[in-house]
Amino acid sequence: MGNEQSAGNATSTSVSPKTPVYHPNITVVNSGPIAGSGSGTTASNTSISDDTDLNKLAAIPKFLPILRSSINQQNDPVQIPHLENRSLLQLSMRLQTHFRSCAEVIQTEQIQLISRMKEVDTRSNAVQQRMIDKQKRFTNYCEHSKKLRDVATSLKRLDQSLTTLAERMRVINLCLPSDDQLPSLSFRNQSSTPSS
C-alpha cells in the first residue's frame, strides 16, 4: 500500500501540466480555460495584444442607422423623434405655392420674350431685305462702271489709232507735189480758217 502511494506520487510528480506555446503563424480559435502558472496567462495576453487582425477589427468605428427604431433599440436615449406629418404637409404646400407662382412669373416673361423675339426677327428680316436690295443695286452699278471703263479704254485706243493715221497721212501729203497736197487732216475739234 505504501508502494502504491509512492508510485502514485511518482506519477503525479512526473506528469506536469503543459503550458501553451505562442506561435505567430498559428491562430488559436478557442484555447479553453488555461490553468497553470502566470507565465501561460501572460503569453496568451501577449498573443492577443500582438494580433494585428484583432487590433484592426477593434479600431473599426461603429455606425448606427439614422432611424434607430429599425434595429429595435427601445432603450436608446439618442433616438430621433418621428416627424409630424402636419407640419411637413404645410411645408410642402407652401413650397408648391411658391413654385407655382415662380412658374407663372417665368411663363409670362417667356411669353414676352417670345413676342420680342418675333418683333426682332421681323425687323432683322426687313433690314436684311433692304441690304439685299442695296447689294443688287451696287452690283448693277459695278457692272455699268465696268462697261464704262471698257468703253473708255476702247475710245483711248481709237484716239491713238486716229492720231497715228493722221500723222502718216501728213507724211504722205508732204511727199506729194505742192500743187497736189491736201490740207492737213485733223480729227480734233479745232476751228480751221478757210484759205483764200
Side-chain angles (χ1 to χ4, degrees):
M1 195 166 181
N3 292 333
E4 292 175 356
Q5 290 179 352
S6 62
N9 292 331
T11 55
S12 63
T13 56
S14 63
V15 177
S16 61
K18 294 181 179 179
T19 60
V21 180
Y22 172 70
H23 295 284
N25 296 328
I26 298 174
T27 303
V28 179
V29 177
N30 187 6
S31 61
I34 300 173
S37 62
S39 62
T41 57
T42 55
S44 63
N45 290 333
T46 54
S47 65
I48 292 173
S49 62
D50 292 340
D51 193 355
T52 57
D53 293 334
L54 292 176
N55 291 332
K56 288 179 181 178
L57 288 174
I60 295 174
K62 295 180 180 179
F63 295 98
L64 294 175
I66 295 175
L67 298 176
R68 304 289 180 88
S69 62
S70 62
I71 56 174
N72 294 326
Q73 289 186 355
Q74 298 179 359
N75 296 326
D76 192 1
V78 199
Q79 286 187 359
I80 297 177
H82 292 285
L83 296 174
E84 294 182 1
N85 56 357
R86 183 175 299 174
S87 58
L88 183 61
L89 180 62
Q90 291 178 356
L91 177 62
S92 61
M93 289 177 66
R94 290 179 63 186
L95 285 174
Q96 184 179 3
T97 307
H98 176 67
F99 290 152
R100 186 183 294 112
S101 62
C102 290
E104 290 175 356
V105 171
I106 291 172
Q107 185 178 5
T108 54
E109 290 181 356
Q110 187 176 7
I111 292 171
Q112 293 177 359
L113 284 175
I114 290 172
S115 62
R116 292 290 300 276
M117 286 172 63
K118 288 181 179 178
E119 292 177 0
V120 170
D121 193 11
T122 305
R123 292 182 181 178
S124 63
N125 289 333
V127 171
Q128 185 179 4
Q129 189 62 36
R130 287 199 297 271
M131 294 296 291
I132 290 172
D133 296 337
K134 287 183 179 181
Q135 185 179 5
K136 288 180 180 179
R137 286 199 300 272
F138 288 151
T139 305
N140 194 9
Y141 294 157
C142 289
E143 291 177 357
H144 286 300
S145 64
K146 185 177 180 181
K147 290 179 181 179
L148 288 174
R149 283 197 300 271
D150 294 339
V151 170
T153 305
S154 300
L155 288 175
K156 286 181 181 179
R157 289 177 182 175
L158 182 61
D159 185 31
Q160 291 176 0
S161 300
L162 290 174
T163 304
T164 306
L165 181 61
E167 184 65 25
R168 289 178 181 176
M169 289 178 68
R170 188 181 65 81
V171 171
I172 291 172
N173 193 20
L174 290 176
C175 294
L176 294 174
S178 58
D179 296 335
D180 296 333
Q181 289 183 359
L182 297 173
S184 61
L185 180 64
S186 177
F187 295 101
R188 305 291 179 183
N189 292 327
Q190 295 178 356
S191 59
S192 58
T193 56
S195 57
S196 57

